[in-house]
């Protein structure tokens, strides 16, 4: 698919060189820190993917508060990335910051539960309709543990995922379709086993393929985002999830929903908003207001099966949990965030802002005659280089254009606007202002005007 229809690519390349030079000239402190970091940090960054932004060197942050952050050169940015959901309700929410300070004075971790754990579990049960919960340090871990529980409960080894999915650093799910054939994802470093032996993969929104994958009764669980978000946003077609849930029940396959990104849909996530009834649910980084933590829940029946599986197993290491899991600091952060930050009122404000952003982007795209579309999942919005939203991972992958994305992202950064560095995802938080939304739309349209054919 041609993602550059309507663009003058020569103009675009000239613009990129201009914006690259401007970025370098305006940020001497970040440039100096990048050179210093290269001496002792692999790839010059704490984690290698921090080098994947559109910038000629790493942008270093001095402070982040509410809906904005400041770099070490003193430039302020309206932040529509928000830690790629880690700060979905704003940077350093005041209730969470207070809870961290107070709990820090009382204790950080003890390998024993605190009173907050009971409150948090009760609140999660109320929000999500799943009565039993466990904790982890990240959504990656929570997904990994959920898969282990599913295999233990069912006695089955096979897992099922959707093509193009991402569920954190869980080896089992890095299987893609290549010409209709399942293959281990080529980018996965150091993989020693053939993942296709125990993981099956089908396209999102394809009920026939889903049933074919489940029909032999060997699949322990389907792990899925209720709307795909990590390869670009892909929404479920009407009727897909009711039918998919029925297929899972028919073939004895557990349904695990990963709501780490789709929690943008509401206080109970996409599933609660749309009437889904998963057997298990995973929620990661947004739940603690920016503190590393995650949760995963069980239906009553699944919890009974999980407890029985553990009691049947010999004593010893289960492969589930770490010594820092459910530490007192994280539990205090989760309680403060769920109780005072992640509220119905906050969500309504975010929905209104996201609707304003989506409408503004659509209007700009229409005015400039671009064959692009805008997709929205609650507080999460994305523009995509195609006239119609993709229906599955293959279609979403075909419209990714890293070079074009980097041009847009760098252009926006130079105008004090940050969006997620991977595809074109934007979040709003309760602190985002209407004027910031309007600035983003105006800068986006200015970019289109500069490079259109």
């Amino acid at each position: 698919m041609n993602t550059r229809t309507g663009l003058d690519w020569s103009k675009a390349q000239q613009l990129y060189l201009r914006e690259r030079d401007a970025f370098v000239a305006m940020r001497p402190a970040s440039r100096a820190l990048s050179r210093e970091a290269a001496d002792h940090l692999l790839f010059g960054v704490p984690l290698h993917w921090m080098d994947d932004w559109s910038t000629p060197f790493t942008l270093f942050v001095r402070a982040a508060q509410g809906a904005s952050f400041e770099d070490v050169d003193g430039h302020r940015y309206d932040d529509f990335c928000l830690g790629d959901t880690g700060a979905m309700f704003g940077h350093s929410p005041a209730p969470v910051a207070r809870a961290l300070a107070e709990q820090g004075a009382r204790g950080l971790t003890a390998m024993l539960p605190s009173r907050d754990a009971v409150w948090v579990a009760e609140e999660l049960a109320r929000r999500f309709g799943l009565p039993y919960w466990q904790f982890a340090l990240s959504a990656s871990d929570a997904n990994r543990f959920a898969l282990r529980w599913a295999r233990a409960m069912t006695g089955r080894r096979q897992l099922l995922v959707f093509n193009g999915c991402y569920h954190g650093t869980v080896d089992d799910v890095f299987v893609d379709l290549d010409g209709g054939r399942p293959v281990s994802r080529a980018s996965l470093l150091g993989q020693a086993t053939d993942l296709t032996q125990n993981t099956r993969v089908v396209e999102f929104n394809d009920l026939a393929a889903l049933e074919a994958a489940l029909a032999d009764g060997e699949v322990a669980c389907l792990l899925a985002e209720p709307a795909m978000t990590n390869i670009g946003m892909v929404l479920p077609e009407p009727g897909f999830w009711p039918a998919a849930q029925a297929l899972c029940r028919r073939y004895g396959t557990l349904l695990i929903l990963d709501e780490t990104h789709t929690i943008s849909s509401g206080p109970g996530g996409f599933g609660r908003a749309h009437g889904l009834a998963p057997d298990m649910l995973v929620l990661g980084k947004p739940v603690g207001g920016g503190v590393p933590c995650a949760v995963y829940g069980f239906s009553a029946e699944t919890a009974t099966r999980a407890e029985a599986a553990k009691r049947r197993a010999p004593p010893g290491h289960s492969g589930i949990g770490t010594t820092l899991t459910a530490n007192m600091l994280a539990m205090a952060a989760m309680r403060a965030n769920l109780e005072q930050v992640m509220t119905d009122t906050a969500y309504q404000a975010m929905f209104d802002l996201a609707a304003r952003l989506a409408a503004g982007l659509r209007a700009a795209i229409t005015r400039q005659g671009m064959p692009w579309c805008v997709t929205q999942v609650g507080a999460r919005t994305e523009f995509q280089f195609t006239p119609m939203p993709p229906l599955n991972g293959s279609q979403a992958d075909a419209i990714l254009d890293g070079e074009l994305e980097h041009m847009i992202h760098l252009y926006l950064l130079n105008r004090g606007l940050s969006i997620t560095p991977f595809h074109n995802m934007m979040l709003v938080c309760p602190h985002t202002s209407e004027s910031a939304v309007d600035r983003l739309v105006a800068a986006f349209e200015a970019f289109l005007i500069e490079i259109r054919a």
Side-chain angles (χ1 to χ4, degrees):
M1 181 178 294
N2 184 4
T3 59
R4 300 173 183 177
T5 299
L7 303 181
D8 183 326
W9 197 244
S10 176
K11 284 184 183 178
Q13 291 172 313
Q14 293 171 16
L15 176 144
Y16 180 71
L17 293 175
R18 183 194 78 196
E19 295 298 319
R20 183 183 175 94
D21 290 345
F23 182 93
V24 172
M26 291 190 293
R27 295 166 181 87
S30 275
R31 187 177 191 182
L33 276 173
S34 292
R35 289 171 173 165
E36 186 178 345
D39 291 338
H40 298 291
L41 289 172
L42 196 63
F43 302 101
V45 283
L47 287 170
H48 69 84
W49 49 255
M50 289 182 175
D51 196 35
D52 291 343
W53 285 71
S54 58
T55 55
F57 48 77
T58 303
L59 186 67
F60 281 80
V61 176
R62 173 184 291 160
Q65 190 74 42
S68 66
F69 70 88
E70 182 182 321
D71 69 20
V72 292
D73 287 286
H75 303 295
R76 180 187 169 278
Y77 302 83
D78 294 318
D79 190 10
F80 292 87
C81 173
L82 295 172
D84 191 20
T85 311
M88 196 176 90
F89 302 97
H91 293 289
S92 193
V96 176
R98 285 194 301 270
L100 292 173
E102 292 168 5
Q103 185 60 51
R106 292 196 300 267
L108 305 178
T109 187
M111 291 183 68
L112 288 167
S114 63
R115 184 185 297 272
D116 288 335
V118 178
W119 189 96
V120 169
E122 290 174 347
E123 174 61 12
L124 292 170
R126 182 192 70 81
R127 286 180 182 239
F128 294 99
L130 295 173
Y132 295 96
W133 292 83
Q134 292 280 271
F135 298 89
L137 287 175
S138 69
S140 291
D141 273 349
N143 279 316
R144 190 175 291 112
F145 300 156
L147 295 179
R148 191 176 287 274
W149 279 118
R151 283 172 162 151
M153 283 185 270
T154 62
R156 302 174 179 181
R157 295 178 59 182
Q158 294 291 314
L159 310 174
L160 180 62
V161 295
F162 289 120
N163 186 40
C165 73
Y166 179 75
H167 298 287
T169 58
V170 183
D171 285 11
D172 307 69
V173 305
F174 285 104
V175 177
D176 295 323
L177 287 175
D178 182 2
R181 183 175 62 91
V183 296
S184 295
R185 192 169 296 178
S187 61
L188 185 59
L189 294 173
Q191 181 56 40
T193 60
D194 180 3
L195 298 175
T196 64
Q197 295 301 303
N198 293 309
T199 302
R200 303 175 183 183
V201 57
V202 298
E203 292 286 10
F204 195 64
N205 280 321
D206 189 338
L207 288 170
L210 178 61
E211 181 165 18
L214 298 177
D216 64 2
E218 294 296 324
V219 178
C221 66
L222 167 62
L223 173 61
E225 291 185 292
M228 298 185 75
T229 66
N230 279 286
I231 195 167
M233 294 206 292
V234 182
L235 304 184
E237 292 192 284
F240 172 73
W241 272 118
Q245 289 185 130
L247 289 172
C248 287
R249 286 193 294 270
R250 182 185 307 169
Y251 296 109
T253 296
L254 299 176
L255 174 60
I256 305 174
L257 291 185
D258 182 350
E259 291 263 21
T260 297
H261 278 182
T262 52
I263 193 65
S264 63
S265 302
F270 190 101
R272 195 74 160 167
H274 295 272
L276 279 64
D279 299 290
M280 298 177 69
L281 182 145
V282 169
L283 175 60
K285 49 198 170 187
V287 73
V291 173
C293 57
V295 300
Y296 58 107
F298 300 75
S299 68
E301 179 186 355
T302 309
T304 299
R305 295 175 69 182
E307 290 183 351
K310 179 66 176 76
R311 292 192 177 103
R312 287 194 305 267
H317 296 294
S318 65
I320 295 170
T322 66
T323 55
L324 290 175
T325 297
N327 65 80
M328 294 185 292
L329 192 69
M331 302 309 297
M334 279 189 270
R335 177 169 183 168
N337 193 57
L338 288 166
E339 190 172 28
Q340 302 177 63
V341 179
M342 200 172 166
T343 64
D344 292 352
T345 301
Y347 269 103
Q348 189 54 60
M350 292 157 69
F351 293 160
D352 292 345
L353 287 164
R356 184 185 186 96
L357 174 58
L361 293 171
R362 289 189 182 105
I365 287 168
T366 299
R367 282 192 295 268
Q368 301 311 318
M370 297 303 301
W372 296 358
C373 68
V374 176
T375 307
Q376 184 182 351
V377 178
R380 182 181 300 270
T381 308
E382 183 169 279
F383 57 88
Q384 296 173 296
F385 307 137
T386 177
M388 298 296 294
L391 297 177
N392 57 47
S394 290
Q395 291 181 13
D397 183 62
I399 60 172
L400 296 178
D401 186 332
E403 194 174 358
L404 177 56
E405 291 164 13
H406 277 192
M407 288 179 180
I408 298 172
H409 301 171
L410 182 59
Y411 187 92
L412 294 175
L413 277 174
N414 278 343
R415 285 149 187 82
L417 299 154
S418 171
I419 70 174
T420 303
F422 316 112
H423 44 92
N424 299 308
M425 196 278 294
M426 294 152 285
L427 279 166
V428 293
C429 74
H431 307 281
T432 304
S433 65
E434 290 185 352
S435 60
V437 169
D438 295 344
R439 281 194 295 273
L440 176 58
V441 170
F444 171 76
E445 185 164 15
F447 173 84
L448 295 181
I449 291 171
E450 288 215 49
I451 69 166
R452 67 183 179 181

